[in-house]
Amino acid sequence: KDSALALVQVLAESLDYEYIAIYRFDEAGLTLQAKSGDFQPPTQLSPQQGVTGRVIRNARAELVVDAASDLDWISFSPQLTSLVCVPLMGRDGVIGALSVEGSTGKPLTAADLEMLSALVPAFSTALENATLHERLESLRLEAVHAARHDPLTGLPNRRAFEEDLALSLEQWRVAGQGFGLAVIDLAGFKAINDSLGHAAGDDALRRIADVLSGPSADTHRAYRVGGDEFLLLIPTPLEPLPLLRDLGTQIQLLEFRSDLHVMPNIGLAS
């Protein structure tokens, strides 16, 4: 969006256009990236809506001289009466649209269509690069999350625990802020795997993780560090024993078959 805003500012300052909108087009439809001028275009459009949607569908620039006579026109203000809309093209097709609207005192003409069409390659490259940057940033954040979380249960993993433990130890050293550490393993879990199969075992681990990260998790943080082993970091001054008894009871009450239950073995250090 920063790149789209910069493009809008170039048009507004260099070419003296006032009413400008840039949309990005992807599987979600048309999403407003930036706009200039005292008007409010829709933040979301489908490719079936408006002149902009028509330009996206046809991949062809258009000049609308008389907006009131265009059945696809979406009116934002009575003073806006004309429009130039050009598709922005990427390597794989249309990636967005640039829309400039003209007012009663400053209508748009074929000269505006020609000039804006000439800018399409540069604007398209800028928008595509911005989109690629956003995708790479999204992938980076996903990778960071995956590196610190267990893919089966979604709980933070051993790496996250080691980082958080180091932080807790530093807070204890500097400020005297203590914490508790609970270790949980599951008696009876092997019987679930052996009797019902590994898919059922995976489901059991997810259900147990849901208990450990449930409503009471604002008082502690749960981790899965391997197999059927879980850890909890519990800040003081919270009293850990009632919390651990409650979590243990909830896990024991989980039913995987009428004759199969899990008994958590819980150790605590503080």
Side-chain angles (χ1 to χ4, degrees), residues 16-239:
D16 199 29
Y17 290 125
E18 185 174 0
Y19 304 101
I20 308 162
I22 292 181
Y23 283 89
R24 183 174 67 186
F25 176 57
D26 56 23
E27 62 276 2
L30 287 155
T31 304
L32 182 67
Q33 298 296 288
K35 66 106 178 178
S36 175
D38 188 19
F39 78 128
Q40 185 53 59
T43 56
Q44 291 285 148
L45 286 170
S46 85
Q48 309 304 318
Q49 291 179 295
V51 176
T52 304
R54 189 171 72 211
V55 166
I56 290 287
R57 294 195 307 272
N58 298 331
R60 186 176 66 247
E62 289 195 32
L63 165 66
V64 178
V65 176
D66 181 12
S69 66
D70 192 303
L71 296 179
D72 288 328
W73 173 264
I74 300 174
S75 177
F76 311 121
S77 168
Q79 69 184 28
L80 302 179
T81 58
S82 57
L83 167 72
V84 169
C85 188
V86 296
L88 301 176
M89 308 300 296
R91 287 183 290 270
D92 299 320
V94 180
I95 59 170
L98 166 65
S99 177
V100 176
E101 306 206 23
S103 62
T104 51
K106 193 175 180 182
L108 300 175
T109 68
D112 296 294
L113 175 62
E114 183 178 359
M115 180 166 56
L116 291 169
S117 295
L119 293 172
V120 163
F123 275 49
S124 296
T125 298
L127 184 61
E128 188 166 40
N129 288 342
T131 301
L132 177 60
H133 174 76
E134 290 177 8
R135 289 175 179 166
L136 290 175
E137 178 63 12
S138 177
L139 288 172
R140 186 190 71 79
L141 293 175
E142 289 177 15
V144 169
H145 183 274
R148 301 183 80 254
H149 289 80
D150 170 44
L152 177 64
T153 64
L155 290 179
N157 60 14
R158 182 180 295 276
R159 177 177 176 177
F161 167 73
E162 291 172 352
E163 293 173 357
D164 291 349
L165 177 62
L167 179 61
S168 295
L169 288 170
E170 179 65 13
Q171 291 172 337
W172 170 73
R173 186 184 67 80
V174 173
Q177 182 177 335
F179 62 94
L181 172 61
V183 181
I184 303 173
D185 63 35
L186 307 173
F189 175 72
K190 185 175 183 299
I192 294 175
N193 264 340
D194 292 345
S195 301
L196 304 179
H198 288 288
D202 288 348
D203 181 63
L205 291 172
R206 282 190 287 264
R207 291 174 64 187
I208 292 165
D210 288 343
V211 170
L212 297 177
S213 61
S216 63
D218 58 349
T219 62
H220 66 274
R221 193 172 193 198
Y223 308 80
R224 182 186 178 216
V225 293
D228 61 351
E229 186 177 357
F230 297 84
L231 300 175
L232 301 182
L233 274 180
I234 308 167
T236 55
L238 180 72
E239 172 54 51

